[in-house]
């Protein structure tokens, strides 16, 4: 397993989201749901579109391109046209930093 440092806790206030880059190529979206952090792949699983341009509502994230909505806990798509879930990463908050813990190798991304 590897731990990847993404952002500082203070960079993602409650109710907001911010994109981080992993390995210079993969985008990970960090979301603060009222003080609880979650991290998902930054690109929609349906078509290439950055999810930080989307909308947060009640534990879900809606992609602004085709309005597919994803559950932020499971990554499962709740509305079409997306059929694949977005990858959800294990978040660790340590010393004011937001990290994800992922298996060694390339970051899991569904596309």
């Amino acid at each position: 397993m590897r731990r990847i440092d993404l952002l500082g806790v203070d960079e993602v206030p409650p109710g907001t989201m911010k994109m981080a880059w992993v390995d210079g190529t993969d985008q990970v979206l960090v979301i603060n749901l009222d003080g609880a952090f979650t991290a998902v792949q930054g690109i929609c699983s349906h078509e290439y579109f950055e999810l930080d341009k989307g909308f947060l509502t009640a534990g879900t994230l809606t992609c602004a391109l085709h309005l597919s909505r994803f559950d932020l806990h499971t990554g499962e798509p709740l509305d079409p046209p997306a059929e694949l879930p977005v990858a959800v990463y294990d978040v660790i908050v340590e010393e004011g930093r937001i990290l994800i813990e992922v298996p060694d190798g390339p970051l899991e991304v569904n596309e």
Side-chain angles (χ1 to χ4, degrees):
M1 296 293 278
R2 64 179 177 143
R3 285 186 171 188
I4 302 166
D5 187 319
L6 297 177
L7 298 165
V9 169
D10 57 346
E11 294 179 69
V12 193
T16 68
M17 55 187 167
K18 183 169 181 167
M19 195 73 83
W21 288 85
V22 173
D23 303 332
T25 55
D26 294 314
Q27 296 176 64
V28 173
L29 186 62
V30 177
I31 302 149
N32 183 336
L33 298 172
D34 299 320
F37 293 98
T38 187
V40 300
Q41 71 184 52
I43 301 299
C44 185
S45 63
H46 169 247
E47 194 168 305
Y48 187 93
F49 194 78
E50 294 168 342
L51 290 173
D52 63 341
K53 295 178 173 71
F55 317 98
L56 288 175
T57 42
T60 67
L61 173 64
T62 302
C63 178
L65 186 61
H66 293 119
L67 303 180
S68 286
R69 194 167 49 105
F70 298 93
D71 182 298
L72 287 173
H73 301 288
T74 64
E76 288 300 319
L78 303 172
D79 297 308
E83 295 177 359
L84 290 173
V86 291
V88 178
Y89 309 111
D90 290 331
V91 173
I92 299 161
V93 177
E94 199 171 77
E95 296 176 11
R97 301 292 299 171
I98 301 163
L99 301 91
I100 56 172
E101 190 168 68
V102 295
D104 291 330
L107 198 63
E108 176 197 351
V109 175
N110 294 324
E111 52 191 350

